[in-house]
Amino acid sequence: MSSVPPTLDDVAREARVSRSTASRAINGGDRVSPEAQAAVDDAVARLGYTPNRAARSLVTRRTDSIALVVPEPDTLVLTDPFLTGVLRGVTDGIAGTDLQLVLLLNRQGEAPGRIARYLGSGHVDGAIVASHHRRDQLEAALTRAQLPAVFVGRPFGDATHHYVDVDNIAGAHMATQRLVDVGRKRIGTITGPLDMSAGIDRLQGWRETLEAAGLPTDAFVEGDFTAIGGATAAEKLLDEHPDLDAIFAVSDLMAEGVLHTLHARGLRVPEDVALIGFDDLGVAQHTTPRLTTVHNPVVQTTMAATATLLGLLAGAPVPAAPQIFRPYLVEGETA
């Protein structure tokens, strides 16, 4: 028995069709009769033929690859439960397809524009973008490249890009309103980076809720979505506003850092300072006391983004409007 793998010519002979017909049938082309398609499919199965990806790309002008773009350092991607949830959502979303996933991260110290150049050079058929910052300018790069793309999180400027998101303003309102409802009067927040739409929207939800309750909105410090950043921001927030009796940290990792700072200062949670986080991706279940938080359906939103991208690549109808998922409050012991 020959160990040489079957070729496209072998498939064509077995199916009794021309080589070009066999190629079109294998690569999803048109102008193939149902009878020829069935014969080619049968020949492929009998021979165990595997298409050459490079050759197929020449025919279809497709790479059968999509990019997951996370313009963050690799150290953050490996430790942030939000980003691991995004990765899981994409891999679950392409399960059962032949698509390859290319992960594009920022490299420490690199000049800006590398990711944009890669996306514009034909290496992938489409992209899912998560954890993007205003400075990344990926929206403009994707528009120039005319590359199908879906954002996880609201883009900043170009209204033509598809995106999915959690309702960050509503989630921040839920968290802040809970603190108001339990009688807290001096409520601070540690925001996310304010060059990210999630950081901007969660700050807005906190501010609007306090304004509606007639409470001050001056106690906020910008954070970076990390535990160390949350601890450092909490130090600054408490130094500037020692009368705080509640903190809304807009990610659970930052809330974990806030807990360390509060404990180090001898402040009891929730007796002295109540605390609420945001994400519910595993961190909240392991803090002491257990963190009250807002559920962010990251895997579901990212799977929706992936389904939208697959629809765009297939030329199928996809939702034109943003897909916004509803968060909800998860009870814990800190508020």
Side-chain angles (χ1 to χ4, degrees):
M1 185 174 179
S2 174
S3 60
V4 178
T7 66
L8 180 61
D9 289 326
D10 296 329
V11 172
R13 279 194 297 271
E14 184 76 10
R16 297 186 178 183
V17 298
S18 69
R19 190 179 192 279
S20 60
T21 297
S23 176
R24 289 197 302 274
I26 290 170
N27 293 308
D30 54 9
R31 295 177 290 116
V32 179
S33 70
E35 296 79 10
Q37 184 70 57
V40 172
D41 291 343
D42 185 59
V44 167
R46 287 201 308 272
L47 295 174
Y49 173 73
T50 301
N52 181 285
R53 188 171 293 273
R56 182 179 179 184
S57 177
L58 291 175
V59 174
T60 64
R61 300 185 183 275
R62 294 275 293 272
T63 67
D64 289 337
S65 299
I66 63 171
L68 172 57
V69 182
V70 182
E72 302 281 9
D74 55 359
T75 52
L76 184 61
V77 175
L78 296 173
T79 58
D80 189 315
F82 172 83
L83 296 176
T84 57
V86 167
L87 182 57
R88 178 186 160 195
V90 176
T91 55
D92 286 354
I94 64 173
T97 75
D98 292 328
L99 289 172
Q100 301 296 315
L101 182 63
V102 178
L103 183 59
L104 299 179
L105 311 175
N106 273 349
R107 298 171 183 164
Q108 188 172 5
E110 74 176 357
R114 177 186 63 88
I115 291 178
R117 288 192 298 273
Y118 185 92
L119 293 173
S121 60
H123 294 298
V124 294
D125 299 324
I128 295 168
V129 182
S131 197
H132 48 287
H133 300 251
R134 191 187 299 272
R135 65 176 180 270
D136 300 323
Q137 299 182 342
L138 286 170
E139 297 165 55
L142 290 166
T143 299
R144 287 194 301 270
Q146 297 183 319
L147 186 72
V150 183
F151 283 74
V152 179
R154 177 175 58 82
F156 285 100
D158 191 342
T160 63
H161 285 299
H162 295 270
Y163 76 91
V164 303
D165 205 355
V166 66
D167 191 334
N168 286 297
I169 295 176
H173 169 75
M174 292 174 189
T176 311
Q177 190 62 51
R178 164 54 65 88
L179 296 171
V180 172
D181 290 344
V182 298
R184 304 301 164 129
K185 301 297 184 185
R186 197 70 175 97
I187 303 169
T189 187
I190 298 172
T191 77
L194 294 178
D195 68 341
M196 300 180 71
S197 58
I200 294 168
D201 291 349
R202 293 176 195 179
L203 175 61
Q204 179 181 337
W206 168 84
R207 179 178 285 127
E208 289 177 352
T209 306
L210 292 185
E211 288 174 346
L215 296 175
T217 61
D218 59 320
F220 66 93
V221 172
E222 185 174 357
D224 64 358
F225 287 144
T226 70
I228 293 175
T232 301
E235 294 279 3
K236 181 178 181 182
L237 191 62
L238 291 166
D239 286 344
E240 295 177 353
H241 306 280
D243 58 336
L244 288 182
D245 59 8
I247 296 175
F248 168 42
V250 307
S251 80
D252 287 351
L253 273 181
M254 292 199 299
E256 183 181 35
V258 172
L259 271 175
H260 288 301
T261 295
L262 294 172
H263 289 159
R265 292 191 174 211
L267 294 169
R268 298 168 301 164
V269 179
E271 293 84 356
D272 299 322
V273 180
L275 176 65
I276 296 184
F278 198 118
D279 278 335
D280 187 34
L281 294 169
V283 173
Q285 288 78 18
H286 301 290
T287 61
T288 303
R290 186 164 52 88
L291 183 66
T292 303
T293 188
V294 175
H295 180 75
N296 182 2
V298 173
V299 175
Q300 292 88 340
T301 55
T302 310
M303 288 184 70
T306 306
T308 299
L309 181 61
L310 296 185
L312 290 172
L313 296 179
V318 299
Q323 299 174 71
I324 307 298
F325 288 71
R326 184 75 177 173
Y328 57 84
L329 195 69
V330 179
E331 298 293 347
E333 301 166 346
T334 60

